[in-house]
Amino acid sequence: MSELSQPRTDLAPVRRSSGLFGIDLASPRHASKLGYLLLAPAALLILAILVYPMLLAIDISFHDVKFATLSFGASEYTLANYQKLFSSPDFWKAIGVTAQLLVVVTSISMAVGMGTALLVNQQFRGRSFARMLIALPWAIPEVVAVVTWVWILDASFGVFNWLLIKAGLVGGPVSWFSQPGTAFSAVTMVMVWKGYPFISIMILAGLQSIPEEYYQAAKVDGANVFQRFFWITIPCIAPVLGVTLILTILWVFRDFSIIYVLTGGGPVGATETLAIMTYEEAFNFFRMGYASAIGVVTLLICAIISAFLVKKTSHAIY
């Protein structure tokens, strides 16, 4: 008898894996459970290193807590820190310095970043090298770059003063860190130098996503270079500009190392921002509750500005 004529034996049923806790995560019915499971480690990490410290800081801000006795739960809740904060001239001065720095650094950085992005978006010889030079300040560690700038701006042997004197712009060495105006200018210059490469990279990515057909059609219609920039380039990269603007503002708000290494917040508070004031109150004067109140107010300001900008800049015009 041939093999084909033999009766077919029953095959053993295929056993499928029962999965985690008896749930078959490969089944489409449980696809959402698999997604939550994969996100769980990241969510737990965020809760541990971001949400819990933030809630702890909010709680501390309602207590009179010193750094040496971190027993904030023993005392009663109070608004004394916030009452002291809003009646303090130093706090409003730090708000003013932060706002000035925010406007000046963000405006100049966005302008320089846009200009350099438009430049390296063109076709020319050595474009790759130019892109590398633009990104270089962003790649250097922040503290290393700031210490280098301290040497460059030194009043005795700094090369920046030497260049200004040789160019005839100043009559003698400028003491950049001893006068309020020059200290603010030095901080602004270093923050722009450190921050514009990120803006340039973001805008360059947006420029390369614009279809070339838009510009060709505009040229056929007789649009000049400025009309193409304001009616094609800006509307097409509006979402990128919005995200970049938000990230730049948050960076200026939270930046600590550049200001602290350059001036330490001085002279006479001319460069003391909210971030510097928070550090000074927490770790120099050991007023942890008061410093937490400053941090909570800073967080609220950043959240309001971010929500406003996200609402205004999240949609492309075309």
Side-chain angles (χ1 to χ4, degrees):
M1 183 179 294
S2 66
E3 295 181 355
L4 295 176
S5 60
Q6 292 180 355
R8 185 176 179 180
T9 58
D10 294 335
L11 297 176
V14 178
R15 296 186 60 185
R16 303 186 62 177
S17 174
S18 58
L20 186 66
F21 302 116
I23 301 174
D24 184 10
L25 296 176
S27 170
R29 189 162 60 93
H30 298 295
S32 60
K33 295 184 178 63
L34 178 61
Y36 291 135
L37 186 64
L38 294 176
L39 287 174
L44 292 175
L45 195 62
I46 290 174
L47 287 173
I49 66 175
L50 186 64
V51 177
Y52 175 70
M54 185 173 65
L55 296 176
L56 189 62
I58 294 173
D59 189 90
I60 291 175
S61 70
F62 290 101
H63 294 83
D64 184 16
V65 178
K66 307 298 181 186
F67 182 74
T69 57
L70 198 60
S71 57
F72 53 90
S75 59
E76 296 181 354
Y77 284 93
T78 176
L79 293 175
N81 290 326
Y82 289 96
Q83 292 173 349
K84 179 183 176 183
L85 181 64
F86 291 120
S87 61
S88 169
D90 293 337
F91 169 70
W92 293 110
K93 185 176 182 180
I95 287 276
V97 172
T98 305
Q100 292 176 30
L101 208 59
L102 197 67
V103 173
V104 176
V105 172
T106 304
S107 303
I108 299 176
S109 298
M110 291 294 289
V112 176
M114 173 66 81
T116 51
L118 290 171
L119 176 65
V120 297
N121 192 44
Q122 306 299 316
Q123 294 289 342
F124 62 91
R125 194 171 182 179
R127 186 176 67 168
S128 300
F129 183 69
R131 289 180 176 180
M132 185 191 69
L133 286 181
I134 288 174
L136 190 60
W138 192 46
I140 300 175
E142 197 163 271
V143 174
V144 176
V146 178
V147 170
T148 306
W149 271 102
V150 170
W151 294 342
I152 292 173
L153 297 174
D154 188 89
S156 301
F157 54 83
V159 69
F160 195 70
N161 276 334
W162 179 80
L163 290 174
L164 292 179
I165 293 173
K166 287 295 182 182
L169 297 177
V170 295
V174 179
S175 183
W176 289 97
F177 305 123
S178 61
Q179 298 296 325
T182 54
F184 187 85
S185 301
V187 169
T188 301
M189 182 166 55
V190 176
M191 291 190 75
V192 169
W193 177 83
K194 187 63 181 170
Y196 90 88
F198 171 74
I199 299 172
S200 182
I201 292 171
M202 292 286 287
I203 295 177
L204 179 61
L207 291 174
Q208 293 183 340
S209 66
I210 302 175
E212 187 62 27
E213 290 79 6
Y214 290 1
Y215 294 107
Q216 294 174 355
K219 289 179 182 177
V220 171
D221 292 338
N224 58 33
V225 63
F226 296 104
Q227 290 171 326
R228 294 197 298 271
F229 176 75
F230 286 108
W231 293 103
I232 296 178
T233 303
I234 294 296
C236 286
I237 64 172
V240 176
L241 289 176
V243 172
T244 306
L245 182 62
I246 293 170
L247 295 177
T248 304
I249 288 174
L250 294 179
W251 170 68
V252 175
F253 249 108
R254 69 175 175 77
D255 187 79
F256 170 79
S257 55
I258 291 178
I259 303 173
Y260 195 76
V261 174
L262 276 179
T263 64
V268 292
T271 58
E272 186 179 68
T273 60
L274 290 174
I276 299 293
M277 188 178 181
T278 304
Y279 176 84
E280 294 283 345
E281 294 293 339
F283 300 108
N284 285 351
F285 303 117
F286 304 110
R287 294 193 282 253
M288 192 64 71
Y290 187 59
S292 299
I294 302 172
V296 170
V297 173
T298 305
L299 175 66
L300 291 176
I301 295 174
C302 291
I304 293 172
I305 294 176
S306 300
F308 175 77
L309 291 177
V310 166
K311 185 177 180 180
K312 291 293 183 184
T313 61
S314 60
H315 302 290
I317 295 177
Y318 298 143

